[in-house]
Amino acid sequence: VFQFFGTAECHFINGTEKVRLVDRYFYNRQQDMMYDSDVGHYVGFTPYGEKRAQAANSDPQWMEDRRTAVDWYCRHNYELSTP
């Protein structure tokens, strides 16, 4: 049995003034790839993750989507996640 798991985390600092998006991808309980909006590209942590990160970083359309996700995903959903 193989397991794939991904998370998208929005970190809000001072409301929506400073927002950070972190996408983490796990394969068989081990983190293999991560995107941090402060860094601006994917980083691989395993040989498989490095290949996936390289493929994602070389796709301009996908990277544009990730770079703008802070606005359309995090800031857009801020009202839903705050009490």
Side-chain angles (χ1 to χ4, degrees):
V1 175
F2 297 102
Q3 181 184 33
F4 173 79
F5 179 72
T7 66
E9 306 166 8
C10 296
H11 300 261
F12 299 98
I13 300 149
N14 195 17
T16 59
E17 189 172 314
K18 173 71 174 135
V19 181
R20 178 178 171 214
L21 172 70
V22 178
D23 280 339
R24 299 176 194 268
Y25 298 92
F26 298 85
Y27 184 72
N28 285 345
R29 299 182 185 178
Q30 183 177 12
Q31 183 174 331
D32 68 344
M33 185 172 76
M34 181 179 92
Y35 173 81
D36 185 338
S37 63
D38 287 349
V39 176
H41 63 271
Y42 283 92
V43 176
F45 299 104
T46 65
Y48 176 65
E50 288 175 0
K51 289 179 185 178
R52 292 182 59 215
Q54 184 180 17
N57 289 332
S58 64
D59 184 342
Q61 186 174 358
W62 178 256
M63 291 307 294
E64 181 64 23
D65 182 67
R66 290 295 90 197
R67 288 185 187 107
T68 60
V70 168
D71 292 321
W72 64 261
Y73 181 72
C74 292
R75 285 192 176 104
H76 175 76
N77 290 309
Y78 177 74
E79 296 295 324
L80 299 173
S81 64
T82 56

